[in-house]
Amino acid sequence: MSSPWVKNSEPVQQVNLADIMSEQYAHKLHDKEVQRQTEKLKRPEEEVSSIWETGTSPAAASYSNVAGSSGKVQNDTEEWEDYSALLHDNGIQPEDFEVPEDSDAVIAQMLQSQFDHEYNEELRRIERQQNKQSKVTVTLNKFLRDGDAEFLHDTAEDDYEEDELEQLKRDWDRFEDNERQLDSIPRCGFKVNKEGEMITKHDPQLCAVRNAQRVMSFPPEFPTGDAAGFDMKLSNKVFNQLRAHSRRGRSDKHEKVATAEMGLDAGTRLLLYKLINNQILEQINGIISTGKEAVILHANSDTNYTGSNEHGHQSGVLMPAHLLPRECAIKIFKTTLNEFKQRDRYIKDDYRFKDRFSKQNHRVIINMWAEKEMHNLMRMQAIGLNVPDVVVLKKHVLVMRFIGDNHNAAPKLKDARLSAAEVSCAYEEIVAAMHKLYNEAKLVHADLSEYNILWFEGKCWFIDVAQSVEPKHPSALEFLMRDCGNIVNFFERRGVPNIYTKEQLFEFITGLNAEVHNAAQLEQIHTRGASINQATAPNQEECPDALKPLEYPFELAWEKSQQDREATKALKQTQDDNDNETDTDKDQESDANDNDIDDKEKINKTAKH
Ligand code: ADP
Ligand code: MG
């Protein structure tokens, strides 16, 4: 059918309605149309065959036929002319050119070649583009299509490419030029240069250049100078020395990176994700602080939190939904070996954690550390001290109330700008808090200083209490004395008048005079429960053994923890037994009967003997 959109050059025949309606006329029109169609279909066949089939053999058409007939077919098959031109450029001799019997197959192959050629051209263009912008040379050679070379080889275009590369190269400095030179050595490890010399990858000149390049990829903190700025060459010996030197600081660097990132390893991210998924937190906003022991993040709690998540599971949150603070601080405890060594001291002698400490791996210990902070915060809160409320604890991730507002963390006491009156207030508040902490919460902060007290809404807030210990901890008094020293020094520097000395503060808190009582006496009082009279009795020989100071009080903490452990075990056991008794009365009766029989047999046996 002829297209209705083609402009018809033939004049439109005028027909009247009667003719149009005539069936005969309709048949005539149809026949005419069919004839026109068959004529049109025939024509390209003739043309194609005229290209491939004229010549001595129908199977081997000559190139001259191809070239010669190209003009004729221009309208219908433009590609033909292109190919003939390309074949010409390629220098393929007409007689070399084998034409397959099936001309359609040849057309397909040539079209494929044309496609491949264009595809390769595009790749080269991308390659040039990339290499122009970057110092790193990329090659897309392995993606080039083979068909290109099979039928077409456009040397003219290749020359152009070389020219353009030359043009680009002019802009590169020597360093990058050298880089390309090295890259040009194929995988087999050698190449032959223009002079016919073989150059291997071990060539001293090339090695020197390569070494210079490698130096440029040393860690950024290693000063290399601008090797690209001059023609730097380094012998293998020099390079090896430089490399050894650059690696010297590396383990340190890895440790630092690990420490910085440790808080947010995959496991931690999963925990945070769960907090969001359980609708406790809405979003995590960013880092408040990265200390040596913990990373603190700021987060918003989920306003839709109802006390359980959407699946009805309890989320472990330690407060009712309506008290959930809008802004939260997430403390993520870091897990590196160095810190454990410092922490050991606080946790291993804390009888509460004693029996769990020695047998655990790093992960569990770090979780205990977070748990310890949670317990201590809650204990401090219970006696009315200002500490962040604990929201939830998940392994080594502790979520608590954010001290501050609108994403602005409250300043540390050391950074807070306080008036003289406020400083005095802060001092009074801290002294009272230390007293309360020791005497009511039975805790010693053990890292109390202006760094771990925040100033918010005109009050002091105590944080960072993971290391806090009970007074019976063997080092509790030593820690307390250090805390007193920190606080007194700070307020002294701030010029607060009439403040305690650290010994006076210590005495105020403990009721013990550190100047009067020596360390052994203090230890006796605190770790063994002796009265002051006993501890200060002139004749220590008469002091009961149980109250004599130990040279190394570690054992005491151990003993106590063992006793506590046994006691809780025994308690649990009796509870379990009671439960079992009601469940298995019948079983026990039959067991009892069996035992009776056994006992009787035993008695009989011994009687015989
Ligand atoms: P570290 O063990 O690293 O010292 P801290 O618990 O002391 O960890 O926290 C480090 C810093 O993070 C604090 O000095 C404080 O500025 C900030 N920070 C910690 N907890 C909170 C909180 N609940 N609200 C606001 N800021 C906090
Ligand atoms: Mg701290």
Side-chain angles (χ1 to χ4, degrees), residues 288-296 328-329 331 333 343 373 388 400-404 409-412 447 451-452 454 463-465 467:
I288 302 170
S289 144
T290 49
K292 64 185 187 316
E293 294 188 345
V295 179
I296 318 279
C328 295
K331 184 163 182 174
F333 288 80
R343 283 170 180 159
E373 171 130 19
M400 56 186 146
R401 192 187 146 196
F402 174 71
I403 308 297
K412 297 178 187 112
D447 193 14
Y451 290 85
N452 284 329
L454 304 181
I463 58 160
D464 205 0
V465 295
Q467 69 294 316

Side-chain angles (χ1 to χ4, degrees), residues 71 197 205 233 326 358 386 409 420 477 484 499:
E197 292 165 350
Q205 278 292 315
K233 286 178 183 148
R326 185 74 192 102
S358 54
N386 293 327
L477 294 182
C484 292
I499 55 170

Side-chain angles (χ1 to χ4, degrees), residues 338-500:
N338 280 349
E339 283 135 33
F340 284 127
K341 290 197 188 104
Q342 289 163 22
R343 283 170 180 159
D344 269 11
R345 200 158 168 229
Y346 298 92
I347 202 163
K348 93 173 188 284
D349 291 339
D350 189 324
Y351 81 99
R352 292 175 293 170
F353 295 84
K354 176 68 200 157
D355 54 338
R356 287 158 63 192
F357 178 77
S358 54
K359 304 171 200 77
Q360 304 302 345
N361 64 19
H362 292 171
R363 274 269 163 229
V364 180
I365 293 170
I366 211 67
N367 295 351
M368 280 163 64
W369 197 246
E371 191 186 323
K372 200 166 178 254
E373 171 130 19
M374 179 189 74
H375 282 306
N376 290 342
L377 281 175
M378 286 161 75
R379 220 195 243 199
M380 288 164 81
Q381 195 172 42
I383 58 152
L385 292 185
N386 293 327
V387 291
D389 315 68
V390 179
V391 174
V392 65
L393 170 77
K394 298 277 179 200
K395 294 187 178 172
H396 61 291
V397 173
L398 178 69
V399 183
M400 56 186 146
R401 192 187 146 196
F402 174 71
I403 308 297
D405 51 14
N406 290 328
H407 297 228
N408 297 318
K412 297 178 187 112
L413 196 60
K414 83 170 180 65
D415 300 322
R417 293 186 176 182
L418 305 180
S419 64
E422 282 173 326
V423 178
S424 292
C425 269
Y427 170 75
E428 298 294 337
E429 203 185 327
I430 291 168
V431 168
M434 286 174 85
H435 187 274
K436 236 179 158 185
L437 190 64
Y438 182 88
N439 293 292
E440 292 179 34
K442 303 279 182 238
L443 278 178
V444 170
H445 188 289
D447 193 14
L448 193 66
S449 70
E450 62 275 25
Y451 290 85
N452 284 329
I453 300 171
L454 304 181
W455 182 257
F456 181 59
E457 292 176 338
K459 283 185 278 188
C460 290
W461 294 76
F462 300 90
I463 58 160
D464 205 0
V465 295
Q467 69 294 316
S468 302
V469 293
E470 297 204 330
K472 34 177 146 165
H473 186 283
S475 308
L477 294 182
E478 182 195 329
F479 296 151
L480 181 63
M481 186 61 92
R482 196 179 59 197
D483 285 355
C484 292
N486 291 341
I487 296 301
V488 168
N489 285 345
F490 172 73
F491 286 102
E492 230 170 41
R493 283 200 306 275
R494 287 289 166 111
V496 180
N498 307 322
I499 55 170
Y500 286 130

Side-chain angles (χ1 to χ4, degrees), residues 59-76:
S62 72
Y63 175 70
S64 56
N65 294 130
V66 177
S69 59
S70 61
K72 278 193 273 171
V73 296
Q74 194 157 1
N75 291 341
D76 290 304

